[in-house]
Amino acid sequence: ELKVEQNPLFLSMQEGKNYTIYCNYSTTSDRLYWYRQDPGKSLESLFVLLSNGAVKQEGRLMASLDTKARLSTLHITAAVHDLSATYFCAGHWGGSQGNLIFGKGTKLSVKP
Amino acid sequence: NAGVTQTPKFQVLKTGQSMTLQCAQDMNHEYMSWYRQDPGMGLRLIHYSVGAGITDQGEVPNGYNVSRSTTEDFPLRLLSAAPSQTSVYFCASSYWASGSGTDTQYFGPGTRLTVL
């Protein structure tokens, strides 16, 4: 059974600083997803990582995947207030596409 | 395209009442799913469907029924609502992109359900 753990669960950052969110998963997952959720809103897809060593970047966010360590990271560079949101990682579960097991989320607050 | 739509946006039920949460997508996606989101718990998969006429259970299926008679619609039924089913419910659909070798999930706006 796949379990996904994120840490930290809460993160308060200052603008301009760098930080990393960690996502550990318990068993083999052939792909790893990152989502963003703003308060009261739905989920927005950020990245899908497929293979060991995969790295994807969009703006100030960079995601990577180490399948041997069962670890994915979401690195935030020079944080800005607009990045304040909750970030979820999720692993793929079972044979059907789209069955995801989510972590509990990391609530990020970027302060001036 | 409207994407994934859900109705209603908000609903209050009394314990024991039944209701159906509606979900529709106009992207011709074969795969659809339902998740619930509770504070501090992330999202948990309730039921999913890989095509019309085919459904299966996810992590937390108890208390919920689904059916899939068309590609577009995937309703979630609560037969006898309980306070433990108070949550935000998200419907999602996805397609498999053979070029990228993965799927892309689209989430609906959510239904906020309160059971008293």
Side-chain angles (χ1 to χ4, degrees), chain A residues 7-98:
Chain A
N7 68 83
L9 298 182
F10 298 93
L11 180 54
S12 182
M13 300 176 61
Q14 280 191 312
E15 280 190 332
K17 299 292 187 181
N18 303 333
Y19 210 81
T20 300
I21 299 171
Y22 297 88
C23 176
N24 291 90
Y25 53 99
S26 59
T27 64
T28 301
S29 178
D30 58 358
R31 43 194 187 271
L32 197 291
Y33 303 75
W34 284 95
Y35 289 90
R36 168 181 171 145
Q37 185 180 39
D38 293 302
K41 302 294 186 181
S42 188
L43 279 78
E44 173 190 355
S45 178
L46 295 175
F47 304 107
V48 182
L49 303 168
L50 297 180
S51 59
N52 190 43
V55 177
K56 290 193 175 181
Q57 183 163 6
E58 182 74 32
R60 301 174 187 274
L61 301 178
M62 183 175 71
S64 65
L65 179 63
D66 182 342
T67 57
K68 293 180 181 177
R70 295 178 184 163
L71 171 68
S72 181
T73 60
L74 181 66
H75 186 73
I76 303 156
T77 302
V80 293
H81 178 71
D82 285 351
L83 290 179
S84 297
T86 299
Y87 293 86
F88 292 95
C89 66
H92 176 237
W93 170 77
S96 295
Q97 70 173 40

Side-chain angles (χ1 to χ4, degrees), chain B residues 18-22 34 47 61 63-68 74-80 85:
Chain B
S18 63
M19 81 157 296
T20 300
L21 307 186
Q22 301 292 343
W34 278 101
H47 284 286
Y64 307 95
N65 278 355
V66 292
S67 60
R68 182 103 178 265
F74 190 42
L76 179 72
R77 282 184 289 276
L78 285 71
L79 298 179
S80 179
Q85 294 177 304

Side-chain angles (χ1 to χ4, degrees), chain B residues 30 49-54 68-71:
Chain B
E30 290 297 322
S49 169
V50 298
I54 306 170
R68 182 103 178 265
S69 56
T70 67
T71 299

Side-chain angles (χ1 to χ4, degrees), chain B residues 7-35:
Chain B
T7 56
K9 290 186 179 180
F10 302 93
Q11 182 70 49
V12 179
L13 292 178
K14 294 181 180 179
T15 296
Q17 286 185 315
S18 63
M19 81 157 296
T20 300
L21 307 186
Q22 301 292 343
C23 174
Q25 51 92 9
D26 61 358
M27 298 174 282
N28 202 33
H29 290 171
E30 290 297 322
Y31 178 90
M32 297 184 73
S33 55
W34 278 101
Y35 291 86

Side-chain angles (χ1 to χ4, degrees), chain A residues 31 48 50, chain B residues 96-103:
Chain A
R31 43 194 187 271
V48 182
L50 297 180
Chain B
W96 185 263
S98 56
S100 63
T102 187
D103 56 316

